[in-house]
């Protein structure tokens, strides 16, 4: 069992930056692929970024460039650095994890992930 706790969400002005954190317990990020998703009201949950235990990363459509995913194995923590935030980035951001499998690789599908955090709210005002 893996527990995920996100933090770092806040209300910021357009153009601002935030760094979200996701602390994992119960297992280590080095044995799981980790991902960030986001969901705005009335919209489907969409992938922001994912990272494999070896550090390989993948980004959702239109996410690359302003979002950077990273992890600190010693702290069992995954980060999402967000810059140049826009009002359309307003959403609840979720951390997710699934047991790593080299044959499965990284996934952008919410259904592929087993464990989820409770979410952290990011609000960007114009």
């Amino acid at each position: 069992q893996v527990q995920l706790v996100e933090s770092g969400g806040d209300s910021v002005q357009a153009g601002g930056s935030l760094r979200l954190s996701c602390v994992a317990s119960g297992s280590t990020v080095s044995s799981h692929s980790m991902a960030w998703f986001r969901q705005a009201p009335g919209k489907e949950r969409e992938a922001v970024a994912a990272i494999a235990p070896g550090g390989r990363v993948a980004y959702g459509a239109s996410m690359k460039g302003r979002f950077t995913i990273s992890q600190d194995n010693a702290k069992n923590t995954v980060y999402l650095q967000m810059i140049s935030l826009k009002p359309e980035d307003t959403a609840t951001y979720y951390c997710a994890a699934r047991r790593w499998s080299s044959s499965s690789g990284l996934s952008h599908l919410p259904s592929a992930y087993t464990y989820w955090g409770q979410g952290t709210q990011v609000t960007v005002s114009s």
Side-chain angles (χ1 to χ4, degrees):
Q1 192 76 6
V2 178
Q3 293 81 43
L4 304 172
V5 179
E6 305 100 330
S7 62
D10 205 347
S11 296
V12 297
Q13 296 278 340
S17 301
L18 283 174
R19 188 177 78 158
L20 306 183
S21 300
C22 172
V23 179
S25 60
S27 188
T28 64
V29 298
S30 60
S31 61
H32 289 72
S33 61
M34 307 293 294
W36 286 97
F37 289 82
R38 69 182 186 184
Q39 188 166 20
K43 295 188 176 181
E44 293 187 355
R45 193 165 295 191
E46 63 174 339
V48 178
I51 187 166
R56 182 164 60 92
V57 300
Y59 292 92
S62 78
M63 303 297 177
K64 192 173 183 178
R66 297 190 299 118
F67 296 84
T68 303
I69 189 171
S70 62
Q71 65 183 25
D72 184 332
N73 289 346
K75 295 182 178 180
N76 228 23
T77 300
V78 176
Y79 303 99
L80 183 67
Q81 179 69 49
M82 306 184 293
I83 65 171
S84 302
L85 284 163
K86 305 174 182 180
E88 50 264 44
D89 295 320
T90 294
T92 301
Y93 285 71
Y94 297 91
C95 178
R98 69 171 187 166
R99 195 78 177 173
W100 171 250
S101 167
S102 58
S103 61
S104 299
L106 294 172
S107 176
H108 66 283
L109 298 174
S111 59
Y113 291 84
T114 309
Y115 307 103
W116 290 85
Q118 82 289 350
T120 187
Q121 179 67 35
V122 172
T123 302
V124 184
S125 57
S126 57

